[in-house]
Amino acid sequence: MLRRTETRRDALVPAACVAVLALVAIGAVLAQLLPQLDPLRADFQAPLRPPGPEHWFGTDATGRDVFARTLAGGASSIVVAAMTVAVGLVVGGGLGVLAGFARGWVDALIGTLLDVVLALPGLITVMVVVTMVGPGRLTIGALIGLIMVPAFARIARSATLTVRGQEFVQAARIMGAPPLRIIGSEVVRCVLPAVAAYSFTAVTVAIVAEGSLSFLGFGLAPPTASWGGLIAEGRTHIATAPWICLAPAAVLCATVLAVNVLGERWGRSRP
Amino acid sequence: MLRRLAASALAAVTLTACGAPAAAPSGPSGPPVPGGTITIGINSEVSTLDPAANEIAAQATLVVAHALYEPLFTDGPGGALEPRLAESLTSEDLRTWTLSLRPGLTFSDGSPLDAQAVVDHVARLRDPESQCQCAQLAAEITDMAAADATTAEFTLAEPNAGFPRYFTRQLGMIASTTARADDGSPLGAGPYRLESAARGSSLTVVRSEHYQGTPGHADTLVFQFLPDTDSRYQSLASGAVDLAWIDTPNLIAQARGEGRIVAVANASTATAVLNTRTEPFDDIRVRQAVQAAIDREALLAVVDQGQGVVAEGPILSRSPYASGTRHPEFDPERARTLLAEVGEPVSFAYTTDSRPQSMQRATAIQQMLGDVGITMTIDVVDTATWGTRLYDGDFAAIEFVTSAYADTDAVLGIFAPDATGNFGGYANPEVGELVEQGRGSVDEAARREIYAEVAQRVVEDAPVLFFTESPAGFAAAPHIGGMPDLSDRNVISLLPSELWTAR
Amino acid sequence: MTRPRGAELVVDRLQVRYRVPGGWIEAVRGVSFTVPAGRTVGLVGESGSGKSSLAKAVTGLVAPSGGSVAFAGGPVRHRPGPGGIQMVFQDPVASLHPHRTLVDLVAEPLRWAGVARARRRERAAAALADVGLDPAVYGGRRRHQISGGQAQRVAIARAALAEPELIIADEPVAGLDVSVQAGVVNLLHRAVADRGASLLFISHDLGVVSALCDEVVVLYLGRVCERGPTESVLAAPRHPYTRALLDAVPEVGRVPPPSRLPAAEPPSPLHPPPGCAFHPRCPDAVAACRTAVPAPRELGGAVVSCHAAAPQTPSTEPVTSPPPDRSPP
Amino acid sequence: MRTLLTRAVRALAVIALLGMLTMALPLLLTGDPAVAVLGVEATPEQLAAFTAALNLDASPPERFAHWLGGAVRGDLGTSLVTGAPVTAEIGERLPVTLELLLCGQLLALAITVPVAMRSAWRPGGVVDRISTVLAYLLLSTPAFVLGLALILVLAVGLAVLPATGWAAPDDPVEHLRHLVLPVLTMGLTEAAVLVRVLRADLIATLRTPYILAARSRGLSPWRLLWTRALRPSSFSTVTLVGLGLGLAFGGSVLVETIFAVPGMGRLAASAIEARDFPVIEAVVLLSGVTVVLVGTLVDLVYGVIDPRARHAAAH
Amino acid sequence: MSAPLLELDGLSLRFDGPAGSLHVLESVSLAVAEGESVGLVGESGSGKSVLARAVLGVHPGPAAPSLTGRILLEGRDVTDGSSRRRAVSMVFQDPSASLNPVVRIGRQVLEAVPPAERGSRARQRAAATELLRAVGLPDPGRRLRSYPAELSGGQRQRVGIAAALAAQPRLLLADEPTTALDVTVQQRVLDLIGELRRERGMALLLITHDLGLLAGRTDRIAVMYAGRVVEDGPTERVLAEPRHPYTRALLAVTPRLSPRRRPPLPQIPGGLPDLREPRTGCPFAPRCERALPECATRPPLLRAGAGHTVSCWAAEGVPV
């Protein structure tokens, strides 16, 4: 009895998480395609309308549809998160594998450089750089990714060291496998899952960081919709028009929750 | 002379002021209760109390200055000046001015504040070393001297009817040039003196025993630095502060709805400066098309939440010079016609900083212009970059929200060619001459007429787009008494000595 | 008997050291021995003796800090194709790639040698069958789906398929149950005996070594105590450590003799004692043992490094003279 | 000894590189600080004087050398906005941020340790499931959302605490009241992470043979957890707490902004807006030095937690 | 003969997990008398360590096993998990893993003494020193403040033994106490356990996979296979005249110091049965060279001599 409910819950929770993320993704795409969901189109006659059949999540102070803006904010988060993971995986993963495999002075050099990045106050650094190069989804994603490079690299490096010392890699060397093929086929195949597991964390960090930046006014330039920006915009109306703030906040939290839960499952499922 | 307008321009952005038709504030009934502490939430830190420092002269922080340095004059109803430390400032020719002080004034250490102290003060601020924005204004003074203990004479380079208004701000906030308080802070002659300052968080002042006017009601005033508008309002809501600076329309609306005492004035004008030197706005038809395509009523509704009024031109609706400028109507058809005449598709970038209302305004305008076929991109920059761009004329259109229009005498100067504040390079020599003529005109009626003409020309040439006059001011908890009715003012002038708390 | 085709392995004054937090471990301190072509040599030692470091240095997985290893007259190289050195590891499961199927794992040496996929899978399947794993059943499994004994069979099949001239087996049965050990030892024996290849068998278990090896090398704290033909060393151990080891090996039904070693604990490899490393535990230690490292001496068919060893030290428990079923060379 | 030396060299290298990077950042910022500070009415002479006084027109290497010379003597320059020495600006803000961070981390630990223990003792039990759900919810709530929610409920709704602002410690009661919400925001966010980590490590520790041995000797669960399981399970937690303190200045921007706390984070944010280079540089550098120092401190704490680490280091 | 100190009566044990149940022990009956020394032999998967933990009443991991049958300790039924303190202590397999790396040895040694009975600090020191001296740890007074990492493997196992002795148990469980140690150290540790047992009159259940360790050290041997005790008898008799085919096979494959034995060595074909299935017949039957058709049903328990029982269809003996 107990076991059955456990199993059902085991299947249900990830399914719900996937559903949340799928909805966010579909919404993000629809917001780009459907003119009814234009996140920028304002109805000047209808500012601060509460949620209703016409505007599911209500309208904001300018009369823009909060639902459309929330969906479009999802697109921003997806782009930023994808960029973060891409930069983290490629730069961090690459440096980590290189450091772990080469060791010696290469390792020390990479380690020192990563320490420098680690020593930078992340949010402040991103704020400074955003101020100087201008805000944009890809820029912000890449910056958050760069800030996360040390974490990716550390994981990739330790996974590489573990794999490198493992007997099956030694066995491959003894069997005459070329070193590059060993890196390619043996190490990367084993390092990738560990790094991929961290990508879930990176996605949540990216979404939250982008939100925080937008909230602080250093994020995506309005009128581009971003969850953090929407919350910041809606914050001033929280007593009178709470939907402006609450809708994106709820979707943001639900998305991060879903990614967190899926990440934990993924981490647990690996041998 | 035109420079001094520019002078207040950048600061004015951070000030943001101006009033809507508001119900008179109602506080606790009965006579003022003496004693107690009033905590006031303001929007930025005041780290330097010297009146030479510009940060103390912003509208939100002026309340601090008013506590420490009672100015010679303050802004009164309908643009009139109310004498405070001064008794009068008069001139026959608008060039030579005679200041007469109240007798027996002292600084808060008991040392005398005489006419020589005023002259010394002005001299100090006039020196560019002081880095006071008022240095530019004071530079108009070619000669000054103390005639006796309570009389000082000022001679200007050119006649200027707006000269007395200079003494409502820094030039009028007399600080001792010889003595300093025990803790090293500058000495003023205000109703309160500095008790303690906690960097970054608060400033505490207590009633000054040497103040010569009607003493303040409250024993102690605490100024809390709460930069975030919403946080500040929440602090008011939670009772952590008794009085808070509010400058967003929805909070003003909310404060009214929640029964707080609201003292606001339509002190700031939202405008956009168009760069008439370069394409596309070197073509007056494009400027007029843009002007016609923007629905100011809609902006008032969505950006200002209906708080405030539509701006009709460079003369504020409550200015003593108000004369009913005829601003072109919202007319998309006319815009399209004008554009058709131009022939080429119009596109431009609109520079703005990232404050929420600015963003909202920009996106609304973007949509309005889009509806008539003008492509407008929004270029969001931070305040520092915004200032640089404005100063360098590095923009096509740039948002400019300012309280400078509160001083009609001063502000019209920016429409003269080559004026420092003429950021968009608007070059209509006739307007320049008219402004000169008006400011030197001793006859007030004639001046009004000339100013009206200037305003009309400006509105028709559209070098600047006028959107709305927006309110800002203070909201107070119901137990705060002495809140002024600012609804008929152009400047937010809150005198802390008049405040009292019923608790 | 097959003609020996294995090549000779010559280990000469080999030294290996590692950096550890807080200093260096001299794991191997000048070890010399030879694995003649076609012979089986057992390397015996307890923990800290340096036997695994030795194995890694011999296969070239770690660089020696001194001395040399020569195989077939030259340095050790890892090249695909027949004729090289293969290794069987202590942890059979870890020596198999976690994501590959058993057939692919066994076929690995052929893959690096460039044999076509179909051909190498075919040969790998045959090799699997050869070690008693039905390729139809096991061929598609991965390493976590088989037992430790089966994994070691796969590892041996893989090593054998590379047609090496020398197999180095590092504690190949240490983690296995006794009922499985014998099968693995048999397979290993077959993998070399069939082809006349040589085997370096590293173990802490004298019982297994005695059953499999022609010669034994006894290591203690990185040095060789004694080496020689298995029969001779087992029958008449000359080094006190070898004797102590033989005494301590559990034998079914034998009530163990009381230990002759002083109570001292084995020293840490981080701080090996000076002189003969065994002297603090040695019942026969003389003054010289504390200062001078004993030089290897030829003694009754074996080479012994001991100041006190006499030519005719009787074993405490003599093993009856062995009737060899394979004559020593 | 050798490793200690290597560490020190590397730490110095990191700080030096960081210093150079810090100097490079403002070079790329748009917007002239002179204009930003003096205002658009400033005369060209004023601008020039301002720029020269701050050494802004020198080449980057010259500026770096000049700045480094000052930094070594403890002089980080002068704030462009207030004209006060940067060290004074930071001296005022640093204690505030440190207090916030320390209290936040302590609160996080005070929540984490008992909850993680209780959860790890019976994984899958009621307490564990509730704490897991709560931890996930908190983990998924960004600080700026959590902070807003706390203000709405505790300050605006119940009006038991001030919404925002800061009170100097001379008034202890007010000081504490103003401290509660920001510390709660920081502590809860951090606790969500720590509980997950410590719980997992405790579960792993509780399965080790030595815990089994201790249990077989009849140790009570409470004593077992506190005296036997907690220390060997606390490595990741200590690392995270260290990171939390080290990366503080970056992370405290949000909380300080939401609650109007005059700390380093807000100083940094306003310095960026105002192009106050000396302050930005000082904050970034100070933060970096803190990260490096805390990293070393965490290593020392490892030694206290685990005698094996100490043992190895002693050689 | 009085009631045995420890009696397992038809003990079955099952771990239930998400992937199914593991039937680890299947009606095991075993007795250890006061002062007696019993060897429990089995390979991995035979359930011998799980049996030891069931006797100890502690299981690693969160999942508690399902128990049927009875565990009697000093005549008391402790199946439900009642306290065994004072009656049973265990020496664990890996001394490195079973000592807490961050707790000083002095504290760990006294773990088994309830805090109420420990007395003053000085008394605790004295007691701990005495225990460490008893297990032959050199310089015991100074060692109290050491951490486990500062000791060698053999010394750690001595500390483990001392900790087991602290509660003055009447039954000492030793679960593969020397598997992690070198052979030259193994002998000393086993000798130590034997001496202490005799000195203190404890009973000993020595669990091992190595038949070679038991001669001269135990009175009786119980042989386990796949969760069952298949043979139980006096040590000499079991080693000399094994009655169960599994015992015989195990003896045959155990390595010996003899260069006479050349490969191929004798081996036992096949592998362990799947523990996820309950075993109806003799679990060894699929690998047994003497398997009979009856082996598909549960084999009878036969008496093969004085105190010697065997559970096999093919063995000679009198049904018990």
Side-chain angles (χ1 to χ4, degrees), chain A residues 2-270:
Chain A
L2 176 91
R3 214 185 307 156
R4 207 172 34 189
T5 54
E6 284 272 335
T7 335
R8 202 189 304 152
R9 206 183 51 183
D10 275 9
L12 210 72
V13 170
C17 293
V18 170
V20 167
L21 296 183
L23 283 177
V24 168
I26 292 169
V29 173
L30 288 184
Q32 315 290 311
L33 300 179
L34 294 185
Q36 297 94 315
L37 288 176
D38 184 349
L40 299 179
R41 188 74 204 173
D43 179 357
F44 297 135
Q45 308 312 313
L48 300 176
R49 287 285 154 86
E54 201 174 329
H55 301 287
W56 292 356
F57 288 0
T59 64
D60 70 2
T62 320
R64 291 173 296 193
D65 185 58
V66 176
F67 181 66
R69 291 187 65 70
T70 304
L71 294 186
S76 300
S77 292
I78 291 171
V79 173
V80 169
M83 191 66 191
T84 297
V85 170
V87 169
L89 267 181
V90 173
V91 180
L95 285 177
V97 169
L98 186 63
F101 211 81
R103 303 208 287 194
W105 67 267
V106 177
D107 190 10
L109 181 72
I110 292 176
T112 308
L113 289 179
L114 293 179
D115 276 359
V116 173
V117 178
L118 205 61
L120 285 171
L123 208 52
I124 290 177
T125 311
V126 176
M127 280 157 66
V128 171
V129 181
V130 164
T131 314
M132 79 202 194
V133 302
R137 290 167 176 180
L138 293 181
T139 315
I140 289 178
L143 282 173
I144 301 171
L146 282 178
I147 293 295
M148 301 206 70
V149 157
F152 272 102
R154 190 175 284 189
I155 288 165
R157 177 177 174 274
S158 80
T160 307
L161 282 179
T162 312
V163 173
R164 186 184 197 275
Q166 267 184 24
E167 291 184 338
F168 72 86
V169 175
Q170 299 183 350
R173 280 178 66 186
I174 291 171
M175 282 180 288
L180 278 178
R181 299 272 306 259
I182 295 182
I183 295 187
S185 75
E186 316 289 313
V187 178
V188 170
R189 250 178 105 172
C190 294
V191 171
L192 210 55
V195 181
Y198 188 70
S199 298
F200 283 95
T201 311
V203 166
T204 65
V205 170
I207 294 176
V208 171
E210 186 275 319
S212 306
L213 284 170
S214 295
F215 183 82
L216 290 171
F218 288 85
L220 298 175
T224 312
S226 135
W227 287 334
L230 295 181
I231 295 168
E233 278 172 38
R235 187 181 161 205
T236 184
H237 301 280
I238 193 148
T240 48
W243 54 88
I244 304 176
C245 199
L246 290 184
V251 176
L252 165 59
C253 292
T255 307
V256 175
L257 183 64
V259 177
N260 267 329
V261 171
L262 286 181
E264 207 249 12
R265 300 265 161 166
W266 163 277
R268 223 197 300 163
S269 68
R270 283 188 316 119

Side-chain angles (χ1 to χ4, degrees), chain E residues 129 132-133 136-144:
Chain E
T129 313
L132 292 183
R133 181 171 294 126
L137 200 68
D139 200 1
R142 208 167 50 83
R143 284 297 184 198
L144 290 178

Side-chain angles (χ1 to χ4, degrees), chain B residues 1 178 241 258 379 392:
Chain B
M1 173 171 130
T178 50
V241 301
E258 289 170 354
D379 192 3
D392 293 348

Side-chain angles (χ1 to χ4, degrees), chain C residues 78-329:
Chain C
H78 304 135
R79 50 182 176 78
I85 296 181
Q86 287 300 320
M87 186 151 173
V88 174
F89 292 86
Q90 171 166 9
D91 183 345
V93 178
S95 73
L96 304 179
H97 195 290
H99 301 144
R100 297 225 168 92
T101 61
L102 298 194
V103 165
D104 285 341
L105 282 166
V106 172
E108 229 180 311
L110 302 179
R111 178 174 158 217
W112 306 128
V115 177
R117 186 178 162 84
R119 171 84 188 116
R120 67 180 193 242
R121 289 183 71 112
E122 193 181 305
R123 284 180 60 189
L128 265 183
D130 217 32
V131 295
L133 296 172
D134 183 354
V137 178
Y138 290 95
R141 294 198 184 178
R142 289 179 171 78
R143 76 176 197 190
H144 58 274
Q145 294 164 312
I146 54 173
S147 71
Q150 288 166 337
Q152 200 58 292
R153 284 165 184 267
V154 171
I156 292 170
R158 177 172 69 178
L161 200 59
E163 300 179 48
E165 289 178 346
L166 170 66
I167 292 180
I168 297 177
D170 184 9
E171 296 263 23
V173 295
L176 305 180
D177 276 320
V178 280
S179 61
V180 183
Q181 279 183 10
V184 170
V185 169
N186 289 344
L187 279 177
L188 208 50
H189 176 73
R190 231 177 61 205
V192 288
D194 284 358
R195 305 183 47 256
S198 27
L199 174 68
L200 180 60
F201 186 90
I202 299 165
S203 176
H204 67 280
D205 189 339
L206 262 176
V208 178
V209 169
S210 72
L212 184 63
C213 300
D214 306 320
E215 291 175 29
V216 333
V217 178
V218 182
L219 283 181
Y220 187 78
L221 277 183
R223 293 213 178 93
V224 176
C225 302
E226 184 166 1
R227 64 185 158 91
T230 310
E231 294 82 357
S232 148
V233 172
L234 253 55
R238 263 69 166 198
H239 197 287
Y241 175 64
T242 318
R243 277 206 298 278
L245 208 54
L246 283 170
D247 285 352
V249 170
E251 279 272 26
V252 174
R254 179 180 75 157
V255 177
S259 171
R260 300 198 310 134
L261 299 186
E265 289 288 325
S268 150
L270 253 176
H271 309 289
C276 171
F278 189 58
H279 83 255
R281 302 174 69 196
C282 181
D284 306 331
V286 295
C289 302
R290 279 179 255 289
T291 51
V293 177
R297 291 187 283 153
E298 185 76 52
L299 213 61
V303 178
V304 184
S305 299
C306 178
H307 294 297
Q312 286 299 321
T313 315
S315 163
T316 44
E317 179 153 321
V319 178
T320 42
S321 75
D325 54 3
R326 216 161 65 148
S327 47

Side-chain angles (χ1 to χ4, degrees), chain D residues 221-240:
Chain D
W222 200 237
R223 264 167 50 88
L224 191 74
L225 284 166
W226 273 105
T227 66
R228 298 293 189 267
L230 182 59
R231 243 169 79 182
S233 312
S234 54
F235 277 80
S236 314
T237 310
V238 166
T239 311
L240 284 177

Side-chain angles (χ1 to χ4, degrees), chain D residues 5 9 15 27 46 54 67 76 81 104 115 132 154 173-174 178 180 183 195 197 221 228 233 247 260 292 297 308 310:
Chain D
L5 201 73
V9 169
I15 292 172
L27 292 177
Q46 274 181 309
L54 289 155
W67 177 83
L76 294 169
V81 172
V115 171
T132 300
L154 292 175
V173 176
E174 272 309 297
H178 281 92
V180 173
V183 164
V195 163
V197 169
R228 298 293 189 267
S233 312
L247 298 178
V292 172
L297 194 72
R308 286 171 297 186
R310 191 165 57 214

